[in-house]
Amino acid sequence: MIVFASPKKQAPKGSIIINCTSISSDWGRNLSPMLSNSAPLNLYGYNIQTVENGWQYSRIYETHNDFAQWDIWRKEGYANPKGNRYPMGKGAKPLCSYICKTLGKLDWVESRKKIYLPLYFQKLERFCWEEIQKCIKLIESEPIVYLWDFDVSNDFASFDVALNNTNRSLGHGYLLVDYLARLTGKDFYKELSESSHFTGSTTNANDIISG
């Protein structure tokens, strides 16, 4: 079973932990969307160095009133090998996201589905296969594995609920668990929701789905 751990909900001492963030001191660090890879990612014809910058620099803010200037800004962000979670400063609210004419303007949830998720899955498939195999080995050999990320909790009964929730940030840990579920055929969210570690509500889970 996979249980989420975070700065707000630490794993018990002695637990098996996969820290999938950029502050990890072991192999789990490679699973972070903040890090660049041996080659760029590619999405809708754009070369993008990090998942994080593909996600953040596709956003349009109120100060972006000239498309050409914004396009220069986002391409510079795409080319930056260092992930930047707050390119406009912490707390800045985007108006929408945009990556190509075909998709047009995307709201927060749609941009997760069209930009963040495909970029992160591409990273895992192309550059993190060794780390994915280590994750699977731990999951299959240990009764509980804690996945440590910043923006995760144990109160979502399914990945779709987490993906569509507009009240929380979507930590990449949720995406990683969904990716592992696809490979192994296991429903990790169902296992979590039926355990004592679950802190949400299965009865009202669908009430917070917005799209």
Side-chain angles (χ1 to χ4, degrees):
M1 179 171 66
I2 299 177
V3 177
F4 291 110
S6 68
K8 295 180 180 180
K9 181 66 176 180
Q10 295 288 351
K13 188 175 181 180
S15 300
I16 302 298
I17 302 172
I18 299 172
N19 185 331
C20 61
T21 73
S22 59
I23 67 169
S24 174
S25 60
D26 59 23
W27 56 267
R29 185 172 187 270
N30 293 332
L31 299 166
S32 169
M34 300 290 287
L35 303 184
S36 59
N37 311 287
S38 57
L41 301 165
N42 188 278
L43 192 67
Y44 305 112
Y46 292 99
N47 286 328
I48 300 171
Q49 293 296 327
T50 72
V51 175
E52 190 68 24
N53 286 358
W55 167 238
Q56 299 295 346
Y57 284 88
S58 294
R59 295 175 171 179
I60 297 176
Y61 293 83
E62 190 172 0
T63 55
H64 292 139
N65 49 27
D66 182 278
F67 183 86
Q69 290 299 316
W70 171 81
D71 196 40
I72 293 172
W73 174 80
R74 72 151 166 170
K75 288 177 180 176
E76 289 176 348
Y78 288 173
N80 187 350
K82 185 177 180 181
N84 184 357
R85 185 173 182 180
Y86 305 112
M88 297 297 288
K90 190 172 183 179
K93 302 294 184 182
L95 301 175
C96 63
S97 292
Y98 181 94
I99 193 166
C100 65
K101 187 176 181 179
T102 302
L103 296 179
K105 294 180 180 179
L106 303 171
D107 63 24
W108 195 18
V109 172
E110 283 302 310
S111 64
R112 289 173 173 176
K113 297 175 181 178
K114 303 297 186 181
I115 301 174
Y116 190 42
L117 187 148
L119 274 177
Y120 188 61
F121 277 16
Q122 183 183 155
K123 173 186 173 71
L124 297 181
E125 290 169 1
R126 291 180 58 194
F127 304 108
C128 298
W129 195 245
E130 182 178 342
E131 290 78 12
I132 290 298
Q133 294 304 311
K134 288 181 178 180
C135 288
I136 292 175
K137 185 176 181 180
L138 283 175
I139 293 165
E140 291 178 342
S141 62
E142 301 291 338
I144 298 178
V145 174
Y146 286 85
L147 187 70
W148 202 96
D149 188 15
F150 290 103
D151 297 312
V152 293
S153 65
N154 292 304
D155 54 1
F156 290 129
S158 73
F159 175 65
D160 283 342
V161 174
L163 184 64
N164 288 287
N165 185 277
T166 58
N167 297 317
R168 310 265 192 91
S169 296
L170 185 76
H172 68 280
Y174 294 126
L175 279 66
L176 177 57
V177 170
D178 184 65
Y179 186 79
L180 292 169
R182 295 177 189 220
L183 290 180
T184 62
K186 295 183 178 180
D187 192 338
F188 295 115
Y189 284 94
K190 186 174 186 294
E191 291 180 359
L192 176 62
S193 68
E194 294 175 349
S195 75
S196 60
H197 299 277
F198 187 63
T199 56
S201 169
T202 55
T203 302
N204 300 317
N206 291 328
D207 292 345
I208 59 174
I209 295 180
S210 60

